[in-house]
Amino acid sequence: MYSAGMFTNPYATEVLRTKKKELVEGIKNPDQLLNWLIENGIFTPEKKMVLSYYRTRTAKNSRVLDILVAQGERACRLFFYPCLKQIEPQLYNNMRSYVSDVNGRIGDARRQLIGYLLEKDKGWVQKSKDPRQEKKESPRQVLAKPEKLTQGKHTEKQGSVAMKSKDNNFISLSVFDSVAKGNLSDLEKILQKSDINAVNSANETLLHIAAAHGHSEIIDYLISKGARAEVKDKNGKTPLHRAAERGHDKAVKILLRSGANMYSLDQDSNSPLHLASQNHHIHVLKSILKEEARRHKGQHNFLHMAALRDDSELVQVLLQNGAFRDAKDERGQTALSYAVSQGFEKTVKVLLDARANVDSGIIDVAFNSNNQSLFRLLLEYSKGMSPDTMVSALFKAIQKDLHGIVAALIEKGTDKNALNEVQYTPLLVACEMGKTESAKVLIEKGASLKDKTPNSSSALHLAVQAGASSIAKMLLRKGMAANIVGQGDQTPLHIAALHNKGALVDILVDGGAKIDLVTKEQLTPLHIASYKGHIDVAQKLLQHKANVNVKDKRSKTPLHLSAERGNPAIVELLLNSNADPNATDKEKKTPLHLATIGSHLNLVKALLAKKSRFGTKDMDGCTPMHYAAVNGNTEILKALLVASKNKNIDDKNVWRKTPLHVAAEHGHSDLINFFLSSGSAINALDNNKDTPLHWACKAGHFNCVSALVNWSAGEKANLQATNSLKKTPLQAAESSPTENQAQIVTLLKKKMLLIR
């Protein structure tokens, strides 16, 4: 999706580290941001599970940023753009402003700082640059983009008038000849002001000639007269290049003292120091290094550059001649960190042989490079690495499944059972993330199998949850109990059922898992699979002879749970496996009750087809038909009436209400005619001698009242019936302050001929 070729230098990583506090506070939608990172392949889905243990927004944000830094520059840049821009646009703009300010201060004409971020953001207006900043190359610019200058690019060509003018031609030639011979007295006599920066056919100035011949007195004289030290000849060399190349140490010192740019590059991307080294002028190299230490302390230096070019020979020469091995540049980076980030093993070894410091930052860089052999090399030399740093490295290696690094760290003495910030051991992390190779190393190296997470999950629980079959097999082979219990007495088999890990069922059963062990809620794995609708797991459990009619703490069977959740496939599977369709729970409800309550028509039909008893009453005396009336579900009522051949239409519950009472009470006017046409008693009385019409009036359901009083096919509604309070339906309506009271009262009075 994104090209990795763009991501070379770690600028975004540094901005993320620098602005971490602001980012942690500013990200208001961590879950949305995390989903974006997962959907776009920057994070794996397992990260969401790991981050779910962080309870506060800021803690989760901080961990997300740490993971991004650990994953390297590509992840950090994609986090800034397009992720942060889409999820937190205001925060993104703040970061962009910060980048702009930094660019403005350092005058970086190449816009290196998060260059990708700024380039891709088309709405960004680049700040104009001070032209004075482009006159001189900084160490950072030399590192970032060496340029090959051609003769046509030199502004010094303006000083070539003396060579191009016919009148001054012979005078200029004699000036160059005097400089080449080192004749200062002749030069003083014939040098004209216009000649000081004149160039010959090779684009050489007088200063180039003097430097090439090592004439220090003439160099001093020319500089005092205004000779420019930064003019480049046709090969891109400055006078300092020429002096260093020829080994003229005194000339080099004079040029450096005058401010000559020691980092200037010729057409072959060589600095004066490179030329001095190539030609074995060690005395010159030392002079340049000494001036660098004086002039550019705390900045990007020759050792950093050599490391980035993988010039191990030059690195060795620099170290042997006074270069400080652990010097840091403006970004806090050492030569070793640069060499490690680029994977330059030969240069890394030279620096390590020179006892360059290996700190936690270097270890992080090694992880970002994803180079296991390089990490082993660092580990071999890191005699002073703290135990905490090594433990941190171990967890990072597991997250990336760099099993070679995991092994190397353990062999180096890292605590293989150490706890991280969420109290997980390395093995628990490997199991939860499904990092098979790392888990294998840890198990073989003797990591403890007894440790559990804060919520009591064992390594086997976590491996099953991750679907890591290979890890589960290794744990079982090493003697971990297949029936080890976790939170709520859940076994790994319960976890397989919960997370739909069918492949793990056979492995666990073969490893000794008992099929019908129960949790504290008396749930078997089949209960859980049935409730979740995981048919593959349910099938495997039944193949291993799981008890299909076992009851949980509420006396519900797996069939109860699947009927309650409305899963036809599971219900059919359980019924075909001899599940009892008439089993009752603690409330005396059958699966048919639960399917009806949930309005699951297909399940009702399936249960009726398996001889489920349609007239069974629960502890409230309600049949499935009562619940169908509550829901107003005509299709389920039809199925129940067909099955019962209308025999149970007037069954009464403990309050002696018929389904018609219930329909009238709940306002299902469309069911009134359905019940009456099916033979329901229109004037049936409940415990309080209320008829269905009483209930429709009290509840204020005008349409139900209308349907009842207008029924004419058979017995009619008794308008004079009185209940236990001696009230007629009209009186019940008058005493009920409902929205439709007036309308109902008027209708009843008309029917009773009390008004016209």
Side-chain angles (χ1 to χ4, degrees):
M1 182 174 181
Y2 298 104
S3 171
M6 299 177 180
F7 308 103
T8 53
N9 295 318
Y11 298 107
T13 305
E14 290 305 312
V15 171
L16 194 149
R17 284 177 173 145
T18 303
K19 306 296 284 183
K20 180 180 177 181
K21 184 176 180 181
E22 184 176 335
L23 288 165
V24 166
E25 294 295 333
I27 296 171
K28 305 300 182 186
N29 302 291
D31 291 332
Q32 189 177 351
L33 184 140
L34 180 59
N35 288 337
W36 192 99
L37 293 170
I38 292 171
E39 289 169 4
N40 288 274
I42 300 169
F43 280 9
T44 60
E46 291 85 358
K47 286 290 190 297
K48 193 165 189 177
M49 188 183 307
V50 174
L51 290 165
S52 67
Y53 291 105
Y54 292 88
R55 298 304 178 195
T56 66
R57 174 179 62 85
T58 53
K60 183 178 288 188
N61 289 342
S62 179
R63 184 58 179 151
V64 167
L65 299 181
D66 289 343
I67 295 172
L68 284 164
V69 169
Q71 290 193 186
E73 181 66 7
R74 176 182 182 276
C76 292
R77 293 197 179 194
L78 293 178
F79 160 76
F80 280 115
Y81 183 94
C83 177
L84 193 65
K85 185 174 182 181
Q86 292 180 17
I87 308 301
E88 304 283 357
Q90 183 58 50
L91 185 58
Y92 169 82
N93 287 334
N94 294 345
M95 293 298 104
R96 194 176 62 178
S97 297
Y98 166 72
V99 171
S100 172
D101 290 343
V102 174
N103 280 346
R105 289 198 300 272
I106 67 174
D108 192 343
R110 296 167 185 81
R111 300 169 68 225
Q112 289 295 324
L113 192 57
I114 318 186
Y116 177 63
L117 165 64
L118 296 177
E119 292 296 340
K120 295 294 281 186
D121 184 3
K122 301 304 182 184
W124 179 245
V125 179
Q126 181 181 350
K127 292 189 175 183
S128 60
K129 297 179 174 63
D130 186 346
R132 290 173 297 178
Q133 294 173 333
E134 298 184 8
K135 290 181 180 179
K136 194 171 184 180
E137 292 174 299
S138 70
R140 171 64 59 201
Q141 291 169 324
V142 170
L143 163 66
K145 190 176 179 181
E147 295 184 0
K148 294 184 178 180
L149 300 179
T150 60
Q151 183 176 348
K153 292 184 179 179
H154 293 299
T155 58
E156 286 74 10
K157 292 181 73 174
Q158 296 173 358
S160 63
V161 177
M163 284 298 294
K164 294 179 181 178
S165 169
K166 291 181 180 179
D167 295 335
N168 296 325
N169 190 45
F170 292 105
I171 296 174
S172 297
L173 288 173
S174 62
V175 169
F176 276 89
D177 187 54
S178 296
V179 170
K181 291 178 179 178
N183 195 327
L184 180 58
S185 59
D186 285 352
L187 178 64
E188 290 175 333
K189 293 175 184 177
I190 63 176
L191 181 66
Q192 302 295 318
K193 187 176 181 180
S194 60
D195 293 336
I196 195 67
N197 288 305
V199 295
N200 61 18
S201 59
N203 213 60
E204 296 172 317
T205 65
L206 297 174
L207 197 56
H208 278 96
I209 303 300
H213 288 82
H215 299 320
S216 55
E217 290 184 355
I218 292 180
I219 292 171
D220 248 339
Y221 175 74
L222 290 171
I223 290 173
S224 70
K225 293 296 182 180
R228 298 174 185 169
E230 300 309 313
V231 179
K232 294 187 176 184
D233 63 16
K234 67 178 183 180
N235 295 315
K237 289 182 170 64
T238 64
L240 185 58
H241 279 92
R242 301 292 293 275
E245 186 177 30
R246 298 288 184 89
H248 300 311
D249 187 38
K250 192 172 181 180
V252 166
K253 289 178 179 177
I254 294 170
L255 288 165
L256 288 172
R257 190 168 61 244
S258 70
N261 182 8
M262 68 181 73
Y263 298 115
S264 181
L265 301 181
D266 64 15
Q267 289 185 357
D268 295 321
S269 297
N270 287 319
S271 69
L273 181 136
H274 286 95
L275 298 179
S277 176
Q278 290 168 11
N279 290 282
H280 308 292
H281 301 312
I282 300 302
H283 56 299
V284 172
L285 182 143
K286 287 182 177 180
S287 295
I288 296 174
L289 284 178
K290 186 176 181 180
E291 180 65 14
E292 180 186 56
R294 185 189 70 81
R295 194 195 300 181
H296 297 299
K297 187 177 182 180
Q299 297 181 28
H300 200 76
N301 60 32
F302 284 115
L303 187 61
H304 296 118
M305 295 179 207
L308 275 166
R309 288 167 59 144
D310 198 21
D311 192 341
S312 58
E313 292 183 4
L314 179 58
V315 168
Q316 193 162 29
V317 170
L318 292 173
L319 291 170
Q320 290 170 350
N321 289 281
F324 180 41
R325 61 180 179 267
D326 294 320
K328 294 183 178 181
D329 62 11
E330 305 90 331
R331 297 172 53 235
Q333 300 297 307
T334 64
L336 180 59
S337 64
Y338 281 125
V340 170
S341 69
Q342 301 299 318
F344 298 149
E345 291 189 34
K346 193 172 181 181
T347 298
V348 167
K349 191 172 188 309
V350 169
L351 287 161
L352 290 174
D353 283 335
R355 298 184 180 179
N357 182 42
V358 180
D359 58 19
S360 59
I362 299 291
I363 297 299
D364 288 340
V365 173
F367 273 105
N368 293 337
S369 70
N370 204 18
N371 187 323
Q372 296 192 41
S373 61
L374 190 62
F375 187 88
R376 281 182 173 272
L377 184 62
L378 286 172
L379 204 59
E380 180 183 339
Y381 281 82
S382 59
K383 301 185 185 303
M385 192 183 297
S386 71
D388 287 345
T389 300
M390 295 180 73
V391 167
S392 176
L394 178 58
F395 280 106
K396 289 176 184 177
I398 291 167
Q399 290 168 7
K400 291 177 175 286
D401 208 16
L402 304 176
H403 59 282
I405 293 178
V406 172
L409 282 164
I410 294 174
E411 290 164 6
K412 194 73 174 177
T414 307
D415 183 0
K416 54 183 171 289
N417 296 314
L419 297 175
N420 65 6
E421 63 273 16
V422 292
Q423 303 302 297
Y424 274 49
T425 65
L427 181 58
L428 291 172
V429 171
C431 292
E432 182 179 64
M433 299 182 73
K435 304 300 185 182
T436 303
E437 295 302 323
S438 293
K440 182 179 179 181
V441 170
L442 288 162
I443 293 169
E444 290 176 348
K445 297 290 183 182
S448 173
L449 304 184
K450 296 179 180 179
D451 292 317
K452 293 185 177 182
T453 67
N455 70 352
S456 299
S457 293
S458 69
L460 186 56
H461 285 88
L462 297 176
V464 170
Q465 182 174 327
S469 301
S470 298
I471 298 178
K473 289 178 181 177
M474 285 189 284
L475 292 169
L476 291 168
R477 282 199 301 267
K478 282 291 181 177
M480 179 167 275
N483 297 305
I484 186 171
V485 295
Q487 188 176 30
D489 287 347
Q490 290 182 333
T491 67
L493 196 56
H494 286 97
I495 299 299
L498 180 64
H499 295 281
N500 201 24
K501 305 299 180 181
L504 272 299
V505 173
D506 292 334
I507 293 172
L508 291 168
V509 173
D510 291 343
K514 295 180 180 179
I515 203 74
D516 288 323
L517 286 181
V518 297
T519 66
K520 286 184 177 179
E521 297 299 318
Q522 301 297 303
L523 295 167
T524 65
L526 185 58
H527 276 105
I528 293 173
S530 299
Y531 180 78
K532 297 291 289 185
H534 297 154
I535 190 163
D536 290 340
V537 174
Q539 284 177 329
K540 286 185 176 293
L541 291 168
L542 290 168
Q543 288 169 6
H544 287 288
K545 309 301 181 185
N547 186 346
V548 74
N549 289 313
V550 66
K551 292 188 175 185
D552 65 11
K553 202 170 185 178
R554 298 174 297 165
S555 293
K556 292 183 185 292
T557 65
L559 185 58
H560 278 96
L561 298 179
S562 59
E564 186 176 16
R565 294 282 286 183
N567 193 305
I570 295 287
V571 167
E572 184 178 353
L573 173 66
L574 294 171
L575 287 171
N576 291 335
S577 300
N578 298 318
D580 182 3
N582 295 305
T584 57
D585 61 16
K586 280 194 173 181
E587 295 180 353
K588 295 187 177 180
K589 286 183 173 65
T590 65
L592 185 59
H593 280 96
L594 299 176
T596 303
I597 290 170
S599 296
H600 305 307
L601 177 61
N602 289 339
L603 272 60
V604 168
K605 290 180 177 179
L607 288 162
L608 290 172
K610 288 291 184 176
K611 308 302 181 185
S612 183
R613 291 194 287 270
F614 43 78
T616 302
K617 293 184 177 183
D618 63 13
M619 63 188 303
D620 293 319
C622 292
T623 65
M625 198 175 298
H626 282 90
Y627 291 111
V630 170
N631 294 334
N633 197 311
T634 305
E635 293 302 317
I636 288 180
L637 279 170
K638 286 180 180 178
L640 292 169
L641 286 172
V642 169
S644 67
K645 298 179 181 179
N646 291 15
K647 290 179 181 179
N648 297 87
I649 196 166
D650 284 326
D651 279 352
K652 294 185 176 184
N653 60 20
V654 293
W655 301 281
R656 299 190 61 75
K657 290 181 181 179
T658 66
L660 182 58
H661 279 97
V662 175
E665 180 183 2
H666 287 84
H668 299 307
S669 57
D670 54 325
L671 294 185
I672 300 295
N673 288 331
F674 175 77
F675 274 121
L676 292 173
S677 62
S678 299
S680 186
I682 194 170
N683 293 311
L685 301 178
D686 65 10
N687 277 354
N688 295 316
K689 295 186 179 181
D690 284 315
T691 65
L693 182 57
H694 278 94
W695 276 108
C697 291
K698 286 193 290 185
H701 300 309
F702 175 77
N703 289 337
C704 290
V705 172
S706 178
L708 287 164
V709 300
N710 289 319
W711 176 255
S712 59
E715 185 181 4
K716 296 182 180 180
N718 184 357
L719 303 180
Q720 300 296 337
T722 58
N723 60 18
S724 58
L725 297 176
K726 306 301 182 183
K727 288 187 177 182
T728 65
L730 175 60
Q731 291 170 325
E734 288 175 334
S735 62
S736 177
T738 60
E739 183 180 351
N740 299 319
Q741 179 197 34
Q743 194 177 7
I744 292 171
V745 169
T746 300
L747 174 62
L748 290 172
K749 285 183 177 181
K750 285 182 179 180
K751 287 293 182 179
M752 297 172 71
L753 303 177
L754 298 176
I755 61 172
R756 291 186 180 182

